[in-house]
Amino acid sequence: MIVKVKSGSYFGIEPFLVEVEVDISRGLPIFNIVGLGDTAILESKERIKTGMRNSGYEMFIGRITVNLTPANVKKIGTHFDLPITVGIMCGQRLFNYKDEILENYLFMGEISLNGDLRRTQGIVNGAILARELGYKGIVIPYDNRKEGSLIKGIDVVVAKNLKDVEKFLTTGEFENIEKFIEKPEEKIFVDEELDFYQVKGQEKAKRALEICAGGGHNLLMVGTPGCGKTMLAKRIMSILPSLEESEEIELTKLYSIAGKLSEKEPIITKRPFRAPHHTSSGVAIIGGGRNPTLGEISLANRGVLFLDEIVEFKKDILENLREPLEEKKISITRAGYRVEFPCEFIMISACNPCKCGMYFEEGGLCSCTPSEVAKYMRKLSGPILDRIDLKIEMTRLNEEELLGDSPREHSVDIRKRVIKAREIQKKRFKSDKLNSSMTRTDLEKYAKLDENSKIIMKNAIKNLNLSARAFDRILKVARTIADLAESKNIETEHLLEAISYRITEK
């Protein structure tokens, strides 16, 4: 007898339906799984047999063949344990199940040796797939309840063990998932330990970070060791707006596929801050590998990617950032596959101005020759620098700045301006697009310059040797500065400030 159970898998981040066909017949006791399953799927045979036995179910002594269709597509993950087990139990007629449940529900979950259902990857993808294909719902482990509850419009059936699954298959009854979800804690947007108020001086860097947050722009901080580059970069998280519901679903989906969710953090509710080390491999940062996996640039989606000591990263990794910085996605092509991952992030990068790091400091502290300084900074190619909107130089604080008590803004006050600027952009574009993603058509419509500003821009192009891309990015930054000031038009002071963040290119 052949039993068909619905499940799901994913390639890259795109989900697809998998039909688990289970055939039970007389013959030698052989258990085969076919259909291009990975090692985790092939090893499921032992988990399933032991889990069924310890749950009080007898395993049929004969030939069991499991086929995962479509058979020509690679499938990964332990979540096929549950649909295979359901197929075997129903094929053996261990209980009277309802056919309509197998036809209308997807099953995903890992089986433990005692028959309990364990947390597994890709649950959000499976729930989205069930909704998109018109299925009534999905059966998932109890430990995946919170991420499963993100998807509305379908039944989310939570099971702790195989006995719970049997009860649902025989009666069709299940408890609303809301019963299993604890009341969410109130979101705290500003971490008191990462408040801009704690940072003395460095007003230009603070202002640059505000502009980055307001329009989604990229920033490069070049400065002396110990001047506060890393400290400031971490504090941008305290001024970014909170995630919208659609963004939470998108991020939770990505982190579920990557296996980054846990019982402690089952849903991504805060914007990610990813800071890979410069010794990280290209696959770890960009993504790819034998099976397509997410890299740091995709895990930083809707958040911040911080590259400290950016000049120390391998050159090929930095050059691979061109497409993500421009297109907000990364296309990875290998011999056996081609996938696209989202990577809409703000890139904050930092580095020293030279090998010893003291080039900007007065008093002849730098021991590097001019050729050594030039060689050090040449590690950042022109195309990469062109894609960075703001560049600032930083030095150590002097005695007055360190010991003084000049007025400083709290992150909550800066965040209000950022949120207001983003609301202006949302109303302008009628979408969640930010100024950093404006097209040439958008610039002609929303970043018009008056005659005086055109003269200023003409001189800047000539003196700074700006490319067409750099010209566009200055206009985008100027538009964000105007939005932060709640100005309808780009005024001269907005343009001059935007140009000042490109002066270091000279």
Side-chain angles (χ1 to χ4, degrees):
M1 176 183 178
I2 296 178
V3 176
K4 297 181 179 180
V5 184
K6 305 292 191 302
S7 187
S9 189
Y10 50 87
F11 188 76
I13 62 170
E14 295 302 320
F16 61 90
L17 183 68
V18 176
E19 194 169 63
V20 180
E21 300 175 325
V22 180
D23 177 69
I24 299 178
S25 59
R26 296 185 181 278
L28 293 174
I30 298 174
F31 189 171
N32 285 327
I33 299 177
V34 297
L36 281 184
D38 68 350
T39 304
I41 294 174
L42 297 179
E43 289 179 347
S44 67
K45 292 181 285 189
E46 300 305 320
R47 293 193 296 271
I48 291 169
K49 288 189 290 186
T50 308
M52 285 182 62
R53 184 179 68 248
N54 290 332
S55 297
Y57 301 105
E58 288 189 12
M59 191 80 171
F60 176 77
I61 301 177
R63 188 179 186 88
I64 299 175
T65 303
V66 178
N67 181 37
L68 308 178
T69 61
N72 63 333
V73 180
K74 182 77 173 178
K75 301 162 195 75
I76 59 174
T78 58
H79 62 272
F80 287 105
D81 288 9
L82 180 57
I84 293 173
T85 305
V86 168
I88 293 172
M89 291 194 300
C90 293
Q92 293 182 209
R93 289 287 179 179
L94 296 178
F95 44 77
N96 294 321
Y97 63 90
K98 294 179 178 291
D99 289 325
E100 59 268 23
I101 291 179
L102 295 185
E103 294 171 359
N104 294 299
Y105 285 82
L106 270 62
F107 292 78
M108 296 179 72
E110 180 184 328
I111 304 293
S112 70
L113 296 184
N114 63 356
D116 289 340
L117 269 62
R118 286 182 171 172
R119 164 179 293 281
T120 189
Q121 298 174 214
I123 291 297
V124 177
N125 255 17
I128 292 173
L129 180 68
R131 185 178 65 182
E132 289 178 348
L133 297 182
Y135 288 94
K136 288 187 67 175
I138 184 171
V139 181
I140 64 173
Y142 175 81
D143 290 343
N144 289 111
R145 63 195 182 281
K146 290 185 179 179
E147 57 199 276
S149 68
L150 284 175
I151 310 304
K152 310 300 180 184
I154 60 171
D155 298 336
V156 180
V157 181
V158 174
K160 292 185 177 180
N161 49 48
L162 291 179
K163 290 295 183 182
D164 289 346
V165 176
E166 177 191 346
K167 180 181 177 181
F168 173 64
L169 288 168
T170 54
T171 66
E173 298 175 357
F174 63 94
E175 294 186 88
N176 193 302
I177 193 171
E178 299 300 328
K179 175 186 175 181
F180 301 102
I181 307 300
E182 300 85 356
K183 187 176 179 181
E185 297 181 2
E186 184 179 353
K187 295 180 180 178
I188 300 175
F189 300 116
V190 178
D191 187 340
E192 292 183 358
E193 296 301 318
L194 295 175
D195 196 307
F196 271 100
Y197 180 79
Q198 299 170 330
V199 183
K200 291 186 175 183
Q202 305 297 7
E203 297 303 323
K204 185 168 185 177
K206 293 178 185 177
R207 174 63 172 170
L209 287 166
E210 179 182 343
I211 296 169
C212 288
H217 303 284
N218 303 314
L219 169 67
L220 170 63
M221 296 181 285
V222 184
T224 309
C227 66
K229 301 186 293 294
T230 303
M231 179 177 64
L232 283 163
K234 290 179 179 179
R235 279 161 175 73
I236 192 176
M237 304 307 295
S238 65
I239 61 174
L240 287 172
S242 58
L243 288 170
E244 297 183 1
E245 184 178 356
S246 60
E247 293 175 322
E248 285 187 1
I249 293 173
E250 180 184 9
L251 280 171
T252 302
K253 172 183 172 181
L254 293 175
Y255 276 68
S256 177
I257 291 170
K260 301 292 184 181
L261 298 180
S262 63
E263 182 64 28
K264 185 177 180 181
E265 190 179 21
I267 299 175
I268 303 300
T269 58
K270 296 180 180 179
R271 295 186 182 275
F273 181 88
R274 308 295 297 187
H277 193 262
H278 61 79
T279 58
S280 301
S281 68
V283 171
I285 295 176
I286 306 300
R290 186 173 181 181
N291 294 316
T293 55
L294 297 167
E296 290 290 333
I297 61 174
S298 296
L299 295 174
N301 190 52
R302 303 291 180 179
V304 173
L305 177 71
F306 178 50
L307 300 182
D308 198 8
E309 302 300 339
I310 185 173
V311 295
E312 300 298 336
F313 282 79
K314 294 178 182 177
K315 189 173 182 180
D316 60 329
I317 293 177
L318 295 181
E319 295 306 312
N320 283 333
L321 290 175
R322 291 190 194 182
E323 181 189 358
L325 292 175
E326 195 74 27
E327 304 295 334
K328 309 299 182 184
K329 63 181 180 181
I330 179 70
S331 299
I332 300 174
T333 304
R334 298 291 183 267
Y337 65 81
R338 182 183 184 279
V339 295
E340 281 189 357
F341 294 138
C343 43
E344 189 172 346
F345 56 83
I346 297 173
M347 187 179 81
I348 308 296
S349 51
C351 68
N352 298 330
C354 62
K355 197 169 183 179
C356 74
M358 308 303 290
Y359 182 70
F360 293 153
E361 298 299 322
E362 298 178 357
L365 298 177
C366 180
S367 58
C368 302
T369 64
S371 61
E372 288 175 333
V373 174
K375 182 180 178 181
Y376 185 79
M377 292 306 297
R378 270 201 300 270
K379 294 179 181 180
L380 289 175
S381 68
I384 290 296
L385 288 171
D386 244 5
R387 288 166 170 80
I388 298 176
D389 304 334
L390 301 94
K391 306 176 185 69
I392 60 171
E393 296 176 354
M394 298 173 61
T395 58
R396 291 177 177 174
L397 301 182
N398 56 37
E399 297 87 343
E400 289 75 14
E401 289 173 316
L402 282 171
L403 298 174
D405 195 23
S406 57
R408 303 191 299 275
E409 273 192 303
H410 283 278
S411 290
V412 66
D413 299 318
I414 303 173
R415 187 171 179 271
K416 288 177 182 177
R417 294 196 297 270
V418 169
I419 292 174
K420 182 65 178 177
R422 290 206 175 195
E423 288 174 351
I424 292 171
Q425 293 165 64
K426 191 171 185 178
K427 185 177 180 181
R428 175 188 298 137
F429 301 120
K430 296 180 175 58
S431 69
D432 61 354
K433 183 167 74 172
L434 297 176
N435 287 336
S436 61
S437 300
M438 282 197 291
T439 63
R440 166 46 49 187
T441 303
D442 293 331
L443 289 172
E444 291 176 354
K445 187 175 181 180
Y446 302 116
K448 294 181 180 179
L449 301 178
D450 57 29
E451 292 304 317
N452 188 39
S453 295
K454 286 181 180 178
I455 294 172
I456 294 172
M457 200 68 209
K458 183 178 180 181
N459 291 329
I461 294 170
K462 181 180 179 180
N463 295 327
L464 299 178
N465 193 27
L466 299 177
S467 66
R469 181 183 287 113
F471 170 74
D472 286 351
R473 290 189 177 274
I474 287 176
L475 292 182
K476 293 174 184 179
V477 172
R479 181 65 267 175
T480 298
I481 294 171
D483 290 340
L484 288 167
E486 298 184 40
S487 172
K488 183 178 179 180
N489 300 316
I490 296 177
E491 305 295 343
T492 302
E493 59 268 26
H494 304 148
L495 183 62
L496 287 171
E497 184 179 358
I499 293 172
S500 72
Y501 295 112
R502 310 287 304 205
I503 296 296
T504 51
E505 290 187 38
K506 188 66 176 174

